[in-house]
Amino acid sequence: MSKYKFDKNKKPLPDDAEISKYKDFGKLVHNYQRATKPLYHKPLYKQPKVFIFLVMIVLLALLITHFSDKEKEQTPAPVEQKP
Amino acid sequence: MQSNQPNEKELIIAAQSNPERFAPLYDHWYKPVFLFIFKRVNDKELTADITSQVFLKALVAIKSYKFKGAPFSAWLFRIAVNEVNMYFRKNNKHATLPLDEHDLRQLTEEVGESETEENYSLLADALNDLPEEQTQLIELRFFDKNSFLDMAHILGLTEAGTKMKLYRVLEKLKNSITLKRLRKQ
C-alpha cells in the first residue's frame, strides 16, 4: 500500500535509455530455466549443498556405529550364575 | 493499453511452445510494465526487480494462457498488480508517491473540485484514506489512463461493475475532501 503526496516538482519518469539498462532477456530465460528445471535433472550428489549433506550423514552414521561398538566392548559380559 | 500488434496471438502461441520465442513480447511490453510498476513504487532498482519477477511469472505461466478475448497486456498488468501488492504486504512497507498537477487534474475535475494546489493536496490526502482495492481503481483510471474495459480485464471484473465501483470511490473521495476542508477551517 502506498501513500500519496502532492508534489509540484515531481521528478520525470525514467526515460527509454534508463529503462533499457534493466532489460535483459538472456537473464529472464536463465531464471526461467532455473525455475522450471526439476531437481532430478542434475544428480543429487553433483549439487554442493546436497553433497555436503550426504557426507555429513555418512560421517554421522560411522561415528554412531564406532561409538556403539566401543560401548559394547567396554560393557562386561554378563556372568552366568550357577543354580 | 490495447495491443496494436496484429500478430500478438501468433507470438503467444510461439512462446507457449518455446520460451526463447517470448522475446518479442518481452521487448514490446517491458517499458509499459516497467513504468506501470515505477508509478507504484517510485524506485528504479526495485521496479527493475519486480518487473523481472513479473516477466518470469508470465513466462512460466504462458503455457496455460488462454485466449478469452482480453488483451495479453491485461494479463501481464494483472500479474504486475499482484506482484506490487505482494511486495508491499511481504515487506510491510509503503512507498510515498508524488503526484503532480498533471496526475491530479482529471481526478480533481471528476470529484467536482476546482484546480487549485490546496485541492490537489486535499485530494492526495483523501486518497491515502482509501483501502487498497479502491486506490487501485483510481490508479488504473486516472494515473495509468486506462479505459473501463482494460480496467475490467486487469481486475477480472465486468465493465459495468468496474464503472459502478469507481463511481462509488469518487463519491467517497468527494465526501472525504469536504470533511477534510471543514476540519481545516
Side-chain angles (χ1 to χ4, degrees):
Chain A
M1 183 76 187
S2 304
K3 295 280 172 203
Y4 287 105
K5 68 165 185 176
F6 175 61
D7 182 359
K8 291 193 283 192
N9 307 312
K10 182 182 151 183
K11 284 181 199 164
L13 292 171
D15 58 24
D16 286 7
E18 275 180 291
I19 296 173
S20 298
K21 268 194 327 197
Y22 298 107
K23 211 166 143 187
D24 188 349
F25 186 69
K27 191 177 162 194
L28 174 72
V29 173
H30 174 75
N31 289 341
Y32 169 80
Q33 281 162 352
R34 264 184 49 190
T36 53
K37 197 175 183 182
L39 269 176
Y40 56 79
H41 275 198
K42 196 176 179 183
L44 282 179
Y45 61 86
K46 279 194 179 172
Q47 294 175 45
K49 279 183 187 169
V50 179
F51 182 77
I52 291 170
F53 181 71
L54 289 174
V55 169
M56 299 267 283
I57 287 181
V58 171
L59 280 176
L60 202 68
L62 282 173
L63 278 173
I64 290 170
T65 330
H66 177 75
F67 281 112
S68 64
D69 285 351
K70 245 187 180 177
E71 227 170 71
K72 270 184 192 170
E73 281 169 18
Q74 281 172 357
T75 327
V79 184
E80 268 184 45
Q81 285 182 345
K82 286 179 184 173
Chain B
M1 191 169 290
Q2 288 283 355
S3 163
N4 296 321
Q5 285 191 322
N7 57 349
E8 192 169 75
K9 196 173 175 179
E10 282 94 334
L11 291 176
I12 295 166
I13 292 168
Q16 284 175 325
S17 58
N18 178 4
E20 301 272 349
R21 293 178 74 185
F22 186 70
L25 291 168
Y26 178 79
D27 284 339
H28 185 77
W29 290 110
Y30 189 86
K31 186 184 165 192
V33 171
F34 188 98
L35 291 176
F36 182 87
I37 295 169
F38 183 81
K39 285 180 192 168
R40 285 154 176 84
V41 300
N42 197 32
D43 178 299
K44 285 178 209 161
E45 296 297 325
L46 178 59
T47 301
D49 286 348
I50 300 178
T51 307
S52 61
Q53 267 311 108
V54 169
F55 279 101
L56 178 61
K57 290 213 168 160
L59 188 52
V60 170
I62 201 158
K63 278 186 183 161
S64 53
Y65 180 85
K66 288 188 178 79
F67 298 92
K68 290 177 183 171
F72 176 71
S73 57
W75 182 72
L76 213 49
F77 286 111
R78 198 192 297 190
I79 299 175
V81 166
N82 291 338
E83 282 300 306
V84 171
N85 290 342
M86 204 166 79
Y87 168 79
F88 285 127
R89 269 186 228 132
K90 209 170 154 184
N91 297 287
N92 205 14
K93 281 184 181 176
H94 74 263
T96 304
L97 307 175
L99 295 173
D100 61 11
E101 290 154 31
H102 173 76
D103 297 316
L104 290 168
R105 194 170 293 135
Q106 196 193 348
L107 182 57
T108 313
E109 217 172 87
E110 215 47 64
V111 292
E113 294 291 337
S114 54
E115 292 165 19
T116 63
E117 282 190 15
E118 193 203 343
N119 284 344
Y120 290 146
S121 293
L122 280 173
L123 190 52
D125 279 350
L127 280 174
N128 293 333
D129 297 338
L130 293 177
E132 190 180 295
E133 188 201 347
Q134 295 179 349
T135 316
Q136 221 162 64
L137 285 161
I138 299 287
E139 285 169 349
L140 288 170
R141 179 70 181 161
F142 297 101
F143 307 155
D144 298 323
K145 314 281 182 210
N146 281 299
S147 68
F148 281 111
L149 187 62
D150 284 334
M151 285 172 70
H153 286 317
I154 294 171
L155 298 169
L157 301 168
T158 62
E159 196 177 351
T162 308
K163 277 184 190 170
M164 181 69 82
K165 280 193 171 196
L166 185 69
Y167 176 75
R168 284 187 195 138
V169 177
L170 290 174
E171 280 298 309
K172 200 173 167 180
L173 273 178
K174 271 184 207 175
N175 295 334
S176 175
I177 291 172
T178 312
L179 272 175
K180 282 181 190 291
R181 189 175 289 125
L182 283 172
R183 270 186 215 140
K184 266 192 167 181
Q185 285 167 356

